[in-house]
Amino acid sequence: MGLCSPSEAAVASTRPPLPEGAVTSARPPPPVWLEGLKNGCASGLAVVASKTLLQPFDTLKTLQQAAAGSPSHVGLRAVTSKLVSEHGFLALYRGLGISLFGAVPSM
């Protein structure tokens, strides 16, 4: 049994024999940087998804805050309908690009 300890020899003797031509070497572990890359990509994707989902609410909040000083302070429904009717649905996503530009590097 060579340099094996008695317990290793006992374990080795209980294993079934390998078939002819089987490779006995195990696959090497993936490089450490690959895990970091996967985690970074997952984090970036999460930031993009959350910012995209929450951008309309941020836009409406900003418009409400800007109108807070005026005598015609209006609610969320009125601000939403006015914005969409005047500028279209995509106006809710105004400022998304710069928001993503600032948030993704912070992952």
Side-chain angles (χ1 to χ4, degrees):
M1 289 266 142
L3 298 175
C4 292
S5 67
S7 62
E8 289 176 359
V11 170
S13 65
T14 59
R15 291 185 187 143
L18 293 173
E20 290 265 340
V23 178
T24 57
S25 64
R27 231 166 113 181
V32 176
W33 60 267
L34 188 59
E35 278 299 312
L37 182 64
K38 287 193 311 189
N39 291 339
C41 288
S43 175
L45 187 60
V47 166
V48 168
S50 67
K51 289 285 186 182
T52 302
L53 289 173
L54 297 175
Q55 181 64 32
F57 299 107
D58 191 41
T59 301
L60 294 172
K61 174 196 63 108
T62 303
L63 288 173
Q64 271 192 316
Q65 288 174 342
S70 69
S72 64
H73 178 64
V74 291
L76 183 64
R77 186 175 294 170
V79 169
T80 305
S81 63
K82 182 178 179 186
L83 179 67
V84 172
S85 66
E86 289 180 5
H87 301 286
F89 180 76
L90 291 179
L92 292 170
Y93 290 94
R94 212 177 266 172
L96 178 63
I98 196 67
S99 179
L100 291 176
F101 184 72
V104 172
S106 70
M107 57 179 200

